[in-house]
């Protein structure tokens, strides 16, 4: 399986690239910074330069040629303001999904966030509100497309080692944290599981092994 990952140098993406390579899949990381090529290659993935805030759908469509799946794992990240929540967390996902449709790449897994799907609470910090608004809009865009999509909403991400144990279910899942390594393992398991198409799933740490958790909602 050839899997193109938007945000290919992200923390989840690098972990996912290694997992995909270990099981014999081919990962392609889309990155905007040429200085990140070495890290992506060290994760056994192909690195392709593509700034998702500057590229056109046509540019991305060409990059998706021959792919079997797309993972949207990009994000404006901590320290960014409201404008980049919109230009990355919303608009770059819309760009990738549109290009996937044009390229005929049907499988699309979007990394969203717990908290998406509802308007931000009144009085919420402006940047958090922009983030949740962007993620909610990106989800809505994806659901309206003719793609085999899955939306994954992790809870708070940590850099703890993988536990292999998660709680994965349609919303609402109680708030919690989850290691990025477990998120990567869940994405890898979801990718080739057709029973998870057209599902929105929330993810935290839990007490179910990843394979069993994915099987239970398929
Ligand atoms: N933090 C949390 O607790 C939390 C919780 C739930 C969900 N999430 C979501 O989980 C996802 C992945 O998280 P993570 O921790 O792996 O993220 P991360 O390490 O911040 O990675 C995000 C990646 O997106 C890339 N990116 C930003 N703008 C780009 C652009 N214009 N073109 C191409 N790439 C671009 C960044 O590249 P640069 O290095 O070049 O900026 C970075 O490599 C994000 O969507 C995040 O919103 C986070």
């Amino acid at each position: 399986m050839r899997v193109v990952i938007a945000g290919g140098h992200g923390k989840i993406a690098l972990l996912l690239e290694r997992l995909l390579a270990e099981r014999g899949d081919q990962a392609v990381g889309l990155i905007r910074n040429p200085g990140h090529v070495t890290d992506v290659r060290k994760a056994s993935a192909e690195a392709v330069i593509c700034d998702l805030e500057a590229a056109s759908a046509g540019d991305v469509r060409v990059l998706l040629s021959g792919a079997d799946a797309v993972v949207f794992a990009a994000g404006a990240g901590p320290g960014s303001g409201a404008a980049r929540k919109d230009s990355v967390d919303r608009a770059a996902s819309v760009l990738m999904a549109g290009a996937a449709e044009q390229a005929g790449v049907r499988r699309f897994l979007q990394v969203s966030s717990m908290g998406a799907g509802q308007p931000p609470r009144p009085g919420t910090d402006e940047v958090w509100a922009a983030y949740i608004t962007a993620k909610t809009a990106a989800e809505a865009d994806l659901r309206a497309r003719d793609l085999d999509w899955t939306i994954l909403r992790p809870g708070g991400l940590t850099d703890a080692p993988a536990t292999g144990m998660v709680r994965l279910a349609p919303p609402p899942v109680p708030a919690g944290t989850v290691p990025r390594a477990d998120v990567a393992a869940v994405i890898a398991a979801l990718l080739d599981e057709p029973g998870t198409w057209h599902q929105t799933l929330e993810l935290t740490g839990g007490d179910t092994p990843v394979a069993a958790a994915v099987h239970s909602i398929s």
Side-chain angles (χ1 to χ4, degrees), residues 64-152:
L64 294 184
S65 171
D68 300 295
V70 174
V71 175
F72 183 82
S80 57
R84 291 202 65 241
K85 303 302 183 195
D86 185 68
S87 61
V88 183
D89 291 275
R90 183 196 61 79
S93 178
V94 170
L95 176 78
M96 291 299 304
E101 272 185 338
Q102 286 181 23
V105 182
R106 293 200 56 84
R107 186 71 178 116
F108 194 108
L109 197 144
Q110 181 191 71
V111 181
S112 182
S113 174
M114 281 176 82
Q118 296 172 358
R121 289 198 199 101
T124 307
D125 159 71
E126 182 209 351
V127 175
W128 176 255
Y131 175 67
I132 290 302
T133 300
K135 289 294 197 195
T136 299
E139 289 188 0
D141 170 82
L142 186 55
R143 285 191 196 98
R145 292 186 185 273
D146 181 21
L147 290 172
D148 301 330
W149 53 264
T150 303
I151 294 168
L152 181 65

Side-chain angles (χ1 to χ4, degrees), residues 10-12 32 51-53 74 112 131 135 155 157 180:
K11 289 181 176 178
I12 290 175
R32 61 177 177 159
D51 183 341
L52 298 171
E53 291 163 279
S112 182
Y131 175 67
K135 289 294 197 195
L157 300 174
R180 288 179 171 87

Side-chain angles (χ1 to χ4, degrees), residues 4-17 28-33 36 40 48 50-52 70-76 88 92-93 96 111:
V4 176
I5 304 170
H9 188 262
K11 289 181 176 178
I12 290 175
L14 289 168
L15 293 160
L16 176 62
E17 287 156 8
V28 181
L30 302 189
I31 55 175
R32 61 177 177 159
N33 181 347
H36 291 162
V40 172
V48 173
C50 177
D51 183 341
L52 298 171
V70 174
V71 175
F72 183 82
V88 183
S93 178
M96 291 299 304
V111 181

Side-chain angles (χ1 to χ4, degrees), residues 2-3 23 36-37 39 61 66 86 95 106 117 127 129 154 161 166 173 176 180 190 196 199 201:
R2 182 174 169 88
V3 183
R23 73 176 194 188
H36 291 162
V37 168
D39 289 342
R61 177 175 49 77
D86 185 68
L95 176 78
R106 293 200 56 84
V127 175
V166 297
V173 167
R180 288 179 171 87
L190 288 172
T196 64
Q199 289 207 55
L201 300 167

